[in-house]
Amino acid sequence: MSLIEKQLRATLKDWNYKAKIKRLEMTELEQSTLEFDTVAQSVVFSDELIGEMVKSFIVSVSNDLAHLEAAQISDILQDRINYMLERINQQREVRNEID
Amino acid sequence: MAKINKSKMITQYEFCNKIHTGLITPQYLTKLINKGIVEKDSQARIDILDSTLNIIYSSKNMMAKKAEFLNNLVDKAGINQALINKILAELDTEDLEDNGDSDNDLIVKIQKAKLALLEAQGRIREINYKLKTGELVTVEDVTRSAEDLAQNIRGALIQLPQLLAFSLEHKSSQEIAEVLTAEFEKITNLIQKNRFFTRK
């Protein structure tokens, strides 16, 4: 191997290394950031989804609670809210699996 | 989520005596600085990650100790383990042998590597700029914000039965719906107060 070739190989090795490290840094940054607009859309979507869930929750629970005692109201509301939270958790787990 | 650990600038003393104790002496570091392998900034400080990698790459002897160097970055300098693993993988798979390239091929490859470096530097600058302007946000921020929001909503919902039971007693379904709507509005308002909530 000629001297010039040795020097070229050393230079190439150096630049390849520098480029690789920068690309790794770039990939790290890309993977750990998100577009604000994408996040905002997702939050707005969640707000609308939860809004709909709450509406149907109110409709269904209001009839069941009509003219009841406080203790019964508390128990029913507790059950329904627990059920709703469980469903949200299940949906989140499914979404996590998909992700 | 993987946390970004950008490298940081430290003194030569810290580099030799706190991070790479037993691997690099101050005298050897000075020699590497004089050779241009390690660079100092205007305040005579050096970049932990860049300097370590340049040292690893400076000789076969140092390359053989790469794992020790990189472990020090994780253990003593707090650099992200995932990033170090990637660097180790890159270093291990690097083919530096003669593969029959002509001098011209090598020159072209050098230009390509320089271009790749410039592109990566440009993209990093762009991402950092967008992070500053808010066009981009870190996954860590988003995750933390979502967890806080979920916890607040959950807390508010769990309190609701106790909070409302007496005020709903013996009420009609219409009256109950009104009270519940007002209470749930307060809870869903938490979402709209979230820093990422922007309706376009």
Side-chain angles (χ1 to χ4, degrees):
Chain A
M1 195 186 289
S2 69
L3 185 62
I4 181 88
E5 194 184 334
K6 272 186 190 166
Q7 282 171 342
L8 282 173
R9 285 196 180 281
T11 309
L12 175 61
K13 190 171 91 168
D14 189 38
W15 281 105
N16 266 343
Y17 152 74
K18 284 177 180 164
K20 271 181 189 173
I21 298 302
K22 272 295 160 209
R23 277 205 303 269
L24 282 175
E25 195 185 324
M26 179 189 83
T27 310
E28 275 283 302
L29 264 175
E30 282 177 338
Q31 286 175 350
S32 50
T33 51
L34 293 165
E35 297 274 347
F36 181 93
D37 286 352
T38 311
V39 180
Q41 273 172 23
S42 166
V43 176
V44 170
F45 176 71
S46 302
D47 179 50
E48 287 167 359
L49 193 72
I50 289 172
E52 287 305 314
M53 276 176 75
V54 164
K55 269 186 211 163
S56 59
F57 175 84
I58 291 171
V59 169
S60 86
V61 86
S62 298
N63 285 328
D64 296 344
L65 298 181
H67 311 295
L68 293 182
E69 301 287 329
Q72 292 169 298
I73 291 172
S74 179
D75 287 347
I76 294 172
L77 260 183
Q78 192 75 63
D79 279 353
R80 299 292 182 86
I81 285 171
N82 285 344
Y83 177 72
M84 184 164 69
L85 288 172
E86 233 170 75
R87 283 202 57 198
I88 292 172
N89 256 345
Q90 281 166 358
Q91 282 176 5
R92 200 175 56 185
E93 278 166 20
V94 169
R95 207 182 50 221
N96 283 346
E97 275 176 30
I98 293 168
D99 289 346
Chain B
M1 195 235 56
K3 189 181 171 188
I4 303 176
N5 279 295
K6 283 187 185 171
S7 193
K8 57 180 178 187
M9 307 300 287
I10 57 169
T11 64
Q12 294 167 55
Y13 174 84
E14 288 170 327
F15 189 82
C16 297
N17 295 309
K18 291 190 179 167
I19 308 295
H20 297 308
T21 328
L23 282 175
I24 291 282
T25 63
Q27 292 80 2
Y28 190 69
L29 183 63
T30 306
K31 207 185 269 183
L32 293 171
I33 291 169
N34 291 339
K35 279 186 180 175
I37 291 169
V38 173
E39 287 177 14
K40 290 192 292 188
D41 70 0
S42 57
Q43 293 167 292
R45 294 173 314 170
I46 57 176
D47 184 295
I48 297 181
L49 181 60
D50 271 0
S51 304
T52 304
L53 293 171
N54 285 336
I55 291 169
I56 291 173
Y57 220 76
S58 65
S59 72
K60 276 187 180 172
N61 194 18
M62 290 295 160
M63 186 67 110
K65 295 176 188 168
K66 63 180 183 290
E68 288 171 74
F69 274 110
L70 295 176
N71 282 339
N72 282 345
L73 291 184
V74 177
D75 297 340
K76 298 179 188 172
I79 305 272
N80 189 323
Q81 177 76 59
L83 177 63
I84 298 301
N85 289 345
K86 282 183 193 171
I87 293 171
L88 260 176
E90 290 281 339
L91 290 173
D92 285 342
T93 56
E94 202 156 20
D95 180 14
L96 304 170
E97 299 303 312
D98 182 355
N99 54 3
D101 283 337
S102 69
D103 289 356
N104 275 343
D105 292 337
L106 290 170
I107 290 167
V108 170
K109 283 186 175 178
I110 291 168
Q111 295 309 322
K112 279 186 182 169
K114 283 182 182 178
L115 190 64
L117 174 69
L118 284 174
E119 280 173 359
Q121 282 172 332
R123 178 79 182 119
I124 289 168
R125 268 198 295 272
E126 184 191 359
I127 293 171
N128 283 327
Y129 174 76
K130 285 184 175 176
L131 276 169
K132 269 187 195 157
T133 60
E135 204 177 323
L136 286 176
V137 288
T138 64
V139 171
E140 195 180 1
D141 274 355
V142 175
T143 309
R144 197 185 311 121
S145 166
E147 282 169 359
D148 287 350
L149 183 60
Q151 203 175 358
N152 289 339
I153 290 178
R154 200 185 162 80
L157 284 174
I158 286 169
Q159 284 178 356
L160 220 51
Q162 289 280 332
L163 195 75
L164 297 181
F166 284 100
S167 59
L168 297 180
E169 202 171 32
H170 305 305
K171 294 270 166 63
S172 70
S173 60
Q174 178 61 34
E175 288 167 318
I176 290 170
E178 279 167 20
V179 174
L180 287 178
T181 303
E183 284 304 319
F184 273 102
E185 210 162 276
K186 286 181 202 165
I187 296 173
T188 52
N189 273 348
L190 292 171
I191 302 174
Q192 285 152 28
K193 283 179 190 160
N194 182 274
R195 63 174 275 220
F196 296 111
F197 184 91
T198 321
R199 206 186 285 273
K200 285 202 169 174

